[in-house]
Structures are given as structure tokens and as C-alpha cells.
Amino acid sequence: MSLESAVVQPAPASGASGPGRVGGAPRPGRVVLHAVLVVLSLLMVAPFVWMVLTSLKSHAEVMSYPPTILPSVWQWVNYPDALEFAPFGTYFRNSLVIAVGHTVINVVLAAMAGYALARLPFRGRSLLLMLVLAAMMIPTFTKIVPQYLLAKTMPFFGGNDFLGRGGSGWLDSWWALIVPGALTPLAIFLFRQFYLSLPRELEEAARLDGLGEFGIFARVMTPLMKPAIATVALITFENSWNNFVWPLIVTRSEELRVIQVGLAAFQQTERTLWEYLMAGTVLATVPMIVLFLFTQRYFVQGFATAGIK
């Protein structure tokens, strides 16, 4: 064997060949796809960039015509001024308590329900699954009036008698903010799909080792559900954090207002303080961005494997 033939040829550089290239040149279809993705990405990022830039302009510059892209003077003082304009500390605390409460309740109860629908054979399981799927198709706003009436007529709360009459029930209380909507059918369905994807041998081995059904659920199966837990937790936290209509309807006290309702304080009858509104919106967006960055890997994996079975 000659020395030349024995020399190991270097591997082609990454991207020099592959499904996206023909004869060293990228395929036209892939180029078009990348161009479309770049345009769509810019369109999706543009509102957020506009929000941040507007939060750093003066009120006169925000209302000027033609509009400017970059602030002529960067008004960083808008952020502390926005925090002083309304009790955002209270709003932020209330939103955080409600979002965390919804997330914990939804993850725990939906995981139990999903495990039961996926692993436990019992009469009526298929019917219950159909009811869960049907509940997912009910529009959110059609449930507001029934939920409001249930909260108002809750017996033994807010001065109500045992028939739910005479008082305000759960209205203007933490009960009305946390309990309704804490458990979602989407979370139950996602957990069921994940539990179905786990091998049955794990369950059988744990049962042979003497574990009961709750031990199999809590110690064997659920620790393997990190993508599902992250997906449900992120969706629940986002929906709860951004909820505006329900907290606005069931609360009257300033101490129970949430941050999305508090942002409405900048929209006055005479004018809208856009610079403060955008500053408050940026601050309200930060927790969601941080949470998504920490759970992004599990979140993407969760949606990618949710439809295995």
C-alpha cells in the first residue's frame, strides 16, 4: 500500500454536502425556506422590538408624526416612573401567586388524571377520555358566565347560605382567582399521551417489587415525565400570567388586582400613556421569557413527543 493511499482523507466540512446541497450548492428549495423563515422571524420579533423602543421614548416623541424608530433621547426613567404610577409590586405579587398556584394544581391533578386514563383499567375510561377531549373544544369565553354564577353562589362563602344566596360567594377573593380554571383538560390529555409512551415493563417490574399503584405513579413513572411536566407548567403559567378578563370580572379590590389589569391604568379617558404602558408591558413579559429560556429544551421535546400514541 502506498503512502499516499494510506493517508486518511480529511472529512468534508460540516455543511459541505448533505440533503441541502446538490454538487456543493444549496438547493433552491432550502434557500427559499430559509428566506421565508427569516422573514417570518423578523415579523414575529418586530412587535417586541417596537414595544421596547417605545418604552424608552418621551411622550412627545411617541405621539410625534412621522414616527421615529430609535429614541432621540433614551428615557430610561420611564421604567421607575411606571412602577411609581401604579402599585405594580402588589400587581406582580398577585399575578405570581395565582400563576404559581394554577401551575402546581394543574401539574399535580392533571398528572394523576392522565395516569389513570392511560394506565388504570376501569369501567367508563373511554367515556371519560371523550369528555376530556370534548371539554378541550369548548371556547373559553363561553364558560365565563357559568363560572361567574358558580363563584357568586358558592355556599357558605361571602355571606351566602347553604343554598348560595344572600352574599357574594367567592367574588373578590383568592378563591375566585385560583380555583376556577386551575385544572385544564389540555393538561390531562398531554399527561395521558406521555404516560402511554412509557414501556409497560417498568410498571410490571415495579409491581413485582411490591410497589402499590400510587408508588408506581409517584416513584417510577412520574420521574420520567420531565418534558410533560415542563410543557404543562409553562403553558399553565403563561395562560394564568396573561389572564385579563376573569380577574377583571371577579375582583373589585385594588389589593387583588393582577398585573394585566394593572396595565389598564395607563389607558386613561383623555389619553394613553404609551411610554409607561410599554415599560410596564416589558416588565410583565420578563418572567415569561426567563421561564421559557429555562424550560425551552423540555418544552420543545414535550410537544415533539406528545403525539406518539
Side-chain angles (χ1 to χ4, degrees), residues 68-84:
T68 59
I69 298 177
L70 296 177
S72 57
V73 179
W74 297 77
Q75 298 287 339
W76 296 101
V77 71
N78 287 343
Y79 284 86
D81 287 349
L83 293 177
E84 292 178 0

Side-chain angles (χ1 to χ4, degrees), residues 99-118:
V100 171
H102 279 171
T103 303
V104 172
I105 294 173
N106 203 19
V107 168
V108 173
L109 297 184
M112 292 181 178
Y115 179 82
L117 290 175

Side-chain angles (χ1 to χ4, degrees), residues 5 15 27 39 89 108 131 155 173 185 193 196 211 216 225 229 258 272 279 305:
S5 61
R27 292 178 177 175
V39 172
V108 173
L131 291 176
S173 70
Q193 298 303 101
L196 283 177
L211 278 180
I216 297 173
M225 303 286 290
I229 294 173
V258 298
T272 298
T305 57

Side-chain angles (χ1 to χ4, degrees), residues 36-300:
V36 171
L37 291 177
V38 169
V39 172
L40 292 177
S41 300
L42 292 176
L43 290 175
M44 295 181 68
V45 171
F48 184 78
V49 174
W50 178 85
M51 177 180 67
V52 174
L53 293 177
T54 303
S55 70
L56 297 172
K57 295 179 181 177
S58 64
H59 184 73
E61 188 173 5
V62 171
M63 304 305 295
S64 64
Y65 185 83
T68 59
I69 298 177
L70 296 177
S72 57
V73 179
W74 297 77
Q75 298 287 339
W76 296 101
V77 71
N78 287 343
Y79 284 86
D81 287 349
L83 293 177
E84 292 178 0
F85 190 88
F88 267 89
T90 302
Y91 300 157
F92 189 90
R93 180 205 63 189
N94 295 343
S95 292
L96 189 63
V97 169
I98 296 168
V100 171
H102 279 171
T103 303
V104 172
I105 294 173
N106 203 19
V107 168
V108 173
L109 297 184
M112 292 181 178
Y115 179 82
L117 290 175
R119 293 297 191 180
L120 301 182
F122 59 91
R123 182 176 298 178
R125 186 174 69 170
S126 299
L127 176 61
L128 285 178
L129 177 60
M130 291 299 107
L131 291 176
V132 171
L133 295 176
M136 292 172 57
M137 303 174 189
I138 300 175
T140 301
F141 289 100
T142 62
K143 297 182 290 185
I144 288 181
V145 173
Q147 285 183 348
Y148 179 85
L149 295 176
L150 286 174
K152 186 178 184 302
T153 57
M154 188 61 60
F156 307 116
F157 283 90
N160 282 348
D161 57 16
F162 71 100
L163 293 177
R165 299 176 302 186
S168 59
W170 278 356
L171 298 182
D172 204 32
S173 70
W174 286 103
W175 295 101
L177 290 171
I178 294 179
V179 176
L183 179 62
T184 62
L186 175 62
I188 296 175
F189 176 73
L190 286 177
F191 272 116
R192 175 188 177 272
Q193 298 303 101
F194 274 91
Y195 279 118
L196 283 177
S197 67
L198 297 180
R200 187 164 292 277
E201 287 77 9
L202 287 174
E203 179 183 346
E204 294 173 351
R207 193 166 285 116
L208 288 176
D209 288 340
L211 278 180
E213 203 61 51
F214 186 79
I216 297 173
F217 161 75
R219 298 173 58 183
V220 178
M221 309 295 269
T222 302
L224 302 174
M225 303 286 290
K226 290 180 181 177
I229 294 173
T231 303
V232 172
L234 185 58
I235 293 175
T236 306
F237 192 93
E238 180 193 11
N239 291 336
S240 179
W241 185 267
N242 293 328
N243 196 2
F244 172 78
V245 176
W246 180 252
L248 179 65
I249 292 175
V250 299
T251 59
R252 296 187 301 271
S253 304
E254 192 71 19
E255 293 77 18
L256 292 176
R257 293 294 192 188
V258 298
I259 194 165
Q260 301 299 336
V261 178
L263 289 175
F266 299 122
Q267 294 179 297
Q268 302 173 352
T269 305
E270 299 81 12
R271 63 174 183 171
T272 298
L273 303 173
W274 290 107
E275 66 281 8
Y276 292 162
L277 178 60
M278 293 299 106
T281 306
V282 170
L283 295 176
T285 309
V286 170
M288 290 307 312
I289 296 176
V290 173
L291 183 62
F292 180 77
L293 291 178
F294 277 104
T295 61
Q296 179 183 11
R297 182 164 64 93
Y298 291 122
F299 183 70
V300 175

